[in-house]
Amino acid sequence: MRYRTLGGTGIEVSTYCLGTMMFGFVGNPEHDECGRIIHAALDQGVNFVDTADMYSAGESETIVGKALRGRRDDVVLATKVHFPMGEGPNRGGNSRRWIVRAVEESLRRLDTEWIDLYQVHRPDERTDVEETLSALTDLVRAGKIRAFGCSTFPAAEIVEAHHVAERRGLGRFRTEQPPYSLLARGIEASVLPVCERYRMGVLVWSPLASGFLTGRYRRDRPVDLTTGRPALTPGRFDPALPGNAAKLDAVEQLIALADEVGLTLPELALAFTTAHPAVTSTIIGPRTMDQLDGLLKATTVALDDATLDRIDEIVPPGTDLYPPDGAWRPPALADATRRRRPPADRAAA
């Protein structure tokens, strides 16, 4: 396993990061089996483990904490804060009030005295970024976390956070965790260049595009919209919809390319993400041991320029054919009232 420096932190992390979103009742509820998957990844050289307080309502953190007993010092452990963790208006978000409480709860579930990388899971327009950075800076000074970062932030908000940190003498985001895959290349236009400019580490999620890059979904084949991810978001998987048809057309071309260069589609997909100079680590999220074994087969794959050029022809750089599930949507786009004046005030005269 190759290791890369996580931004300017000096921390060395494996090029693959073990994501644990599928550990717990949402994916694999067997704690012992999840523990064996974590140990197998560590034995293969993975030293970077990523979780979040909201994964299976905290169960994922508990599983990770149990699995890392006796091996904690050798692991770079990352978790996240933001999404609601119970009833009530103040049990989520990016406020100091919630962050200070949430980190203590994560430390307890993870059974550790410190978190190596504490990430803000999504932007929160209700909270000034200065408030968030101030709380995180204090947690670093208290020794509860070593570094902090953001996840799925647009480039403009990353830049704003850095400017606020500089003006106020606060710690700054050291990492960003964005979605990135052969079908979701939008971050190449601005997020990745911004991360390079600020010397941020980048750990990318959803490299297999929610299963589209496993080969499970093919053109001219029916998709069962009653189970799994298709049941949760059928609009993203229904092949009758034009957007999904375009994704499936690209998948067919990518499968043909993978066959031509002697790779599986998942191997091509994972190797693509690690080839970008701004990417520090790619998050793999196995649910079973077999899935982990399959994902680790791609660790030795290095794509040549000719193959990367062919990929650019199929999905041009900076293009999003597949906006990933869970990606942050700016309120100005999600809320129509933010884009429309009152009817009586819309005319020019």
Side-chain angles (χ1 to χ4, degrees):
M1 184 69 64
R2 181 170 292 169
Y3 300 89
R4 296 172 176 172
T5 304
L6 188 62
T9 66
I11 301 171
E12 296 290 317
V13 296
S14 49
T15 307
Y16 278 8
C17 174
L18 180 67
T20 63
M21 187 177 73
M22 299 308 295
F23 293 170
F25 71 85
V26 168
N28 188 338
E30 298 297 327
H31 287 208
D32 289 344
E33 183 181 358
C34 293
R36 287 191 291 271
I37 293 170
I38 293 172
H39 293 161
L42 299 183
D43 292 342
Q44 291 294 316
V46 173
N47 77 337
F48 198 10
V49 178
D50 178 75
T51 185
D53 56 2
M54 58 85 66
Y55 292 166
S56 292
E59 188 180 2
S60 173
E61 286 187 327
T62 299
I63 291 170
V64 170
K66 288 193 295 186
L68 294 185
R69 288 172 188 164
R71 306 186 71 165
R72 176 66 185 90
D73 287 345
D74 299 322
V75 173
V76 178
L77 179 57
T79 191
K80 311 181 197 72
V81 61
H82 169 80
F83 286 105
M85 289 293 291
E87 299 296 329
N90 292 308
R91 288 191 55 83
N94 300 348
S95 69
R96 171 182 286 272
R97 186 181 192 277
W98 175 241
I99 287 172
V100 169
R101 177 172 178 178
V103 75
E104 295 292 348
E105 294 182 359
S106 286
L107 288 167
R108 174 180 52 80
R109 287 188 293 263
L110 291 165
D111 192 22
T112 186
E113 295 180 355
W114 81 96
I115 293 163
D116 294 293
L117 177 62
Y118 198 49
Q119 301 158 101
V120 180
H121 214 153
R122 293 292 188 275
D124 178 4
E125 68 166 358
R126 303 168 304 169
T127 306
D128 288 344
V129 70
E130 180 181 353
E131 172 87 359
T132 302
L133 294 174
S134 175
L136 294 169
T137 300
D138 287 346
L139 291 177
V140 171
R141 292 170 178 163
K144 296 181 186 296
I145 65 177
R146 299 294 186 256
F148 55 86
C150 51
S151 176
T152 320
F153 272 48
E157 298 217 14
I158 296 173
V159 172
E160 181 189 3
H162 279 277
H163 286 175
V164 169
E166 182 177 5
R167 289 197 306 269
R168 300 302 188 188
L170 300 172
R172 62 188 181 89
F173 287 139
R174 290 291 188 173
T175 63
E176 159 63 9
Q177 185 180 140
Y180 187 47
S181 72
L182 286 165
L183 299 181
R185 302 184 60 177
I187 64 169
E188 293 174 340
S190 56
V191 170
L192 290 183
V194 163
C195 289
E196 288 183 296
R197 184 180 310 153
Y198 288 106
R199 202 181 173 195
M200 296 173 68
V202 176
L203 44 158
V204 298
W205 58 270
S206 198
L208 298 183
S210 299
F212 271 94
L213 296 173
T214 64
R216 184 185 313 147
Y217 306 108
R218 302 289 300 272
R219 187 176 58 196
D220 301 325
R221 293 185 188 177
V223 176
D224 185 354
L225 299 176
T226 63
T227 61
R229 288 180 183 270
L232 296 174
T233 53
R236 293 180 177 271
F237 292 86
D238 186 350
L241 298 178
N244 295 328
K247 288 182 283 192
L248 294 172
D249 285 342
V251 166
E252 293 300 321
Q253 296 178 66
L254 291 167
I255 288 174
L257 175 59
D259 288 341
E260 185 179 321
V261 297
L263 299 173
T264 65
L265 180 58
E267 288 171 342
L268 181 75
L270 290 169
F272 167 78
T273 62
T274 61
H276 196 289
V279 173
T280 310
S281 189
T282 294
I283 298 174
I284 56 173
R287 182 176 52 84
T288 66
M289 189 70 76
D290 286 344
Q291 289 179 355
L292 174 68
D293 292 340
L295 293 167
L296 290 178
K297 290 179 180 177
T299 55
T300 59
V301 176
L303 302 182
D304 59 24
D305 287 343
T307 302
L308 291 170
D309 288 343
R310 292 281 300 282
I311 290 171
D312 288 348
E313 293 172 1
I314 297 169
V315 183
T319 299
D320 272 336
L321 288 181
Y322 177 65
D325 296 332
W328 186 73
R329 185 168 168 78
L333 298 182
D335 182 358
T337 63
R338 302 280 290 270
R339 306 188 305 275
R340 299 172 184 174
R341 292 179 181 270
D345 194 31
R346 292 176 187 171

